[in-house]
Amino acid sequence: MLWEIELRPRKPEFDREARDVAERAARFGIELPEISSSRSYLVEADGEIDTAGVAARLADEIVEDAAVRPLPQGGDDPNAISVLLKPGVTDNTGQTAAGMLRRAGIDVSAVGVCRRYRFASDLGDDVRDRLVRRVLANDAIERAVVGPLKLTSISVGGSYDFELKTTPILAADDDELMRVSREGLLSLSLDEMRTIWAHFKKLGREPTDCELETLAQTWSEHCSHKTLAGRIRYTEKNADGTERVVEFENMLKETIFAATVAIREKLGDDDWCVSVFKDNAGIVTFDEKHHVCFKVETHNRPSALEPYGGANTGIGGVIRDTLGTGLGARPVCNTDVFCFADPNTPVEDLPKGVLHPRTVMNGVVAGVRDYGNRMGIPTVNGAVLFDERYLGNPLVFCGNVGLIPVGKCEKKVSPGDRIVAIGGRTGKDGIHGATFSSAGLDADSETTSGGAVQIGDAVTEQMVTEVLIRARDRDLYTAVTDCGAGGFSSAVGEMGEETGADVELSLAPLKYDGLSYTEIWISEAQERMVFAVPPGHVEEFKKLCESEGVEATDLGVFTDTGRLILKYHGETVCDLSMAFMHDGRPPVVREATWEPPAIDLKSRIVPEGSRDDELLRDPNKMLLAILGDLDVCSKESIVRQYDHEVQGGSVVKPFVGVNEDGPSDAAVVRPDLTSNRGLVISNGIATRLGDWDPAAMAACAIDEAVRNAVAVGADPDKIAILDNFCWGDTDDPAVLGSLVRAAVACQETAVAYGTPFISGKDSLKNFFRKDLPDGESEKIDIPPTLLISAIGQIEDVSKAVTMDLKEPGNHVYLVGPVLTDVGLQVPPASYRFIPPPEEFPEGDWLGRLPKPDHEESIAVFRFMHELVGRGLLRSCHDLSEGGLAVAAAEMATAGGRGLELTLDEAGYPGWWFEESPSRFLVEVAPTVAEEIESLCEPLGSQVGMSAVGQVTDGNYVTIDYGEKRVIDLPLADLKAAWQAPLREL
């Protein structure tokens, strides 16, 4: 029998959900009549239950009234809209409620949740449809029921009658092979389908559906990096008409990996890399007891369809990456970087099938927030960027740092080890996640790929974490990995690559009955880990899991056959060679080209006489405008939703200063509370530069990540970095060419800085096909986006430096190169505010791109580290978007101190907005100024330190250029401009 326990707010003022819906509807131009909301638990039981007892346990009696009734509900309720999760989508709230009721002795078979909205009058079909699609429900995971609920059951699944299915391909031509790939959502190319055809032709049989799915996920872009690790013929066209052609056999290996190899060879016996590019995360040394690992993943496609679930499982998945590194690392902190379209995008500009950027942003932030907070892992560092090209394809980068004991960094699977899975149960959620992530998006993606989106359960993952750490310390297993993209298919397939594996799929615990053997094998349902457990330790391992309330199942055994054998109730459903799975994919050969675009910033400058002309000619208004730019402005409304204090190790927080609202350059974390040694986590991303030169973008991203870490005190000679390439349609030679150029620049810059890449991840084919009125479509690629994440170390966290000004009378210095001889450089964030060309001297100022001088940069970084080590800096802030003027404004407003700067007239007007890399603004006490200058003197122009001003006890920031005062603004105005844009979002 099915019961509904509906919980309504006792007073209208308690109905926050109704107010929120009305506000969101208004942003979409939907006018609603009076609205009220409620939440319901749908309780299914085989017989009668104590409905009053159930209601008492589920309702908050202070603010809610409970109404209990049996379903299906009759009566006349035509203006109600109920929103429920689709069958198969994980309902964490319902599962938690069911467990609570069972523990209370109330026998229920299932519990589901429902949101209901009632309206004072009929909405009409058009308004109702727009309200459901835009505000109330996400079609990827939810369904809406208009009128009374007439459900008879919420149980998911049913009986499954085994039938071995094969896919006939042996007689197929090329068109038929591609139809199989397309309709099966396999994302396999024609060459790959031909290779599979030839393999099974030789075997003399058709492949089973399970075998095809296994090959598809193993060979997917997401899992095998087949484009970047493939053969690429790269043609670079120079401005003078000459060409340079480079042929890569393995582009990643010959650029990113090669940089790390070169750095490690140079370090020799002092090599501090432990494990790079061979495990779920990269590992470097930390202290005598521990190493640290770091991984950053992307979860873009799922977040475009279901922002909350996509980001939720993105952060959950990367946490499992560190849990599955070596023999398991304990998560220390999280990072995140998001790329969205403008949250103020007009509703009428939304293409079909695209969620509003504000909906995406709020859902993504909530997803990362809830998972990290519930697991008790601080989120300590990140960034948020905006570009209209992210409208159909947002980017969601999630990172995790873990602490792993020395001696626990290697794993080994041996024949005879049992295959034991623990954690969440398997369901239909997450089917085709790996192959879905290898394809572009279009207006129908939420329908065709909605099943690839999962909903995470952070509480289960925390329980899994505790089991894993305790089992690791008891030496109960020899290898572990997570069920990431591909589920059991990727986990068991990767662990058994060198051995072989026999798996009995019918043993896998299911969320509900009715899953086929193939669905069990490839489901990416969350919070599951797979272990290689020696037979003698299985019982102790299971007892440990039971003591923590974690389900553990012995699925089979690793063998010495070199084959993957899958059975379902004893029937063989898959028999594949591990060699063919992992090495049989045909090499991808790509053409890539790059030629410098014609740089014409004049077209981006507002014409004289327009409404913004005054802004461009007034440096004060220009500074306020840059501070209010979405890329530059405060992200406090987002960051404050994260817990960055949990675990007690956060030293330098995301915000610092007298009111704790100044933007930190990097996070400093003390992972071991018995030691003062700390980790420094930062990132660099310079997306806007990629439109002009991806090499400059890559170099500046690395420089930004390193200088952010150095600014708080990290040792520049022990910083490791991670790369995350998110690119558009790399089937286009020009798009792929821009990526190759960025990778080559990464190699050059990393080697020069001595910053090895220790891990990375790419996400390609990030584009959206927008339907046009004429029936055609327009492909919109995301901008070339490279995230560089850095992990550095500081010997003593008490010496860490923050960016807020500290004391009136202190001196302020600019450290680093200023390229005043070439004019204003192209800035990544503030190019929209460049003054008109006629205000500058003749020259090539329009064509200059920021790009670090490697030799100068590393000299600056080492000099800065010496100043920090000697305790000579009171504050330090790196110069980034908006240059010196923005850095000065941020330091002053964070410290609540005035700042007076006087700049040399050498050069040209406007250089206070210049964005040369490798620069810092530092505050020092007058008593140490002479010592600092003497330390700098032997380095000369290589460091380029100059006195530029002093801290005051006033409330203004002023910048004098020669005899002219170009900036004169009160702190209140600067802070208001910086904080306003995202405060209400």
Side-chain angles (χ1 to χ4, degrees), residues 801 804-813 867 870-876 891 921-934 945 947 949-951:
V801 179
D804 49 306
L805 294 180
K806 302 299 191 300
E807 188 175 353
N810 283 346
H811 295 186
V812 176
Y813 289 86
L867 298 185
R870 290 172 178 256
L872 299 178
L873 300 184
R874 295 300 310 279
S875 68
C876 174
M891 294 176 76
L921 205 58
V922 301
E923 173 195 7
V924 304
T927 54
V928 300
E930 186 176 335
E931 180 181 356
I932 290 176
E933 291 175 2
S934 66
M945 189 179 79
Q950 66 177 2
V951 183

Side-chain angles (χ1 to χ4, degrees), residues 536-609:
H537 293 163
V538 171
E539 287 307 311
E540 184 180 354
F541 185 82
K542 285 185 173 182
K543 287 180 181 178
L544 174 60
C545 291
E546 184 179 359
S547 72
E548 292 288 340
V550 174
E551 193 167 20
T553 306
D554 187 336
L555 295 177
V557 64
F558 290 107
T559 66
D560 60 1
T561 64
R563 302 195 69 80
L564 174 67
I565 307 295
L566 306 180
K567 296 178 180 178
Y568 185 78
H569 289 294
E571 297 285 342
T572 299
V573 296
C574 173
D575 183 353
L576 284 174
S577 158
M578 286 290 190
F580 181 64
M581 278 177 57
H582 294 283
D583 301 318
R585 175 177 55 79
V588 177
V589 181
R590 306 282 193 192
E591 288 289 332
T593 61
W594 187 82
E595 56 182 308
I599 298 178
D600 181 14
L601 287 182
K602 294 179 181 178
S603 63
R604 293 179 178 255
I605 295 173
V606 180
E608 185 175 356

Side-chain angles (χ1 to χ4, degrees), residues 34-89:
E34 184 180 341
I35 177 179
S36 63
S37 75
S38 64
R39 60 192 184 100
S40 293
Y41 289 90
L42 307 179
V43 179
E44 189 166 354
D46 292 334
E48 295 291 330
I49 61 172
D50 176 11
T51 54
V54 171
R57 284 173 171 81
L58 296 178
D60 183 344
E61 296 181 355
I62 297 176
V63 296
E64 293 176 317
D65 289 321
V68 181
R69 53 179 167 265
L71 288 177
Q73 177 188 329
D76 185 18
D77 198 2
N79 297 329
I81 300 176
S82 301
V83 179
L84 307 88
L85 291 170
K86 287 182 175 180
V89 177

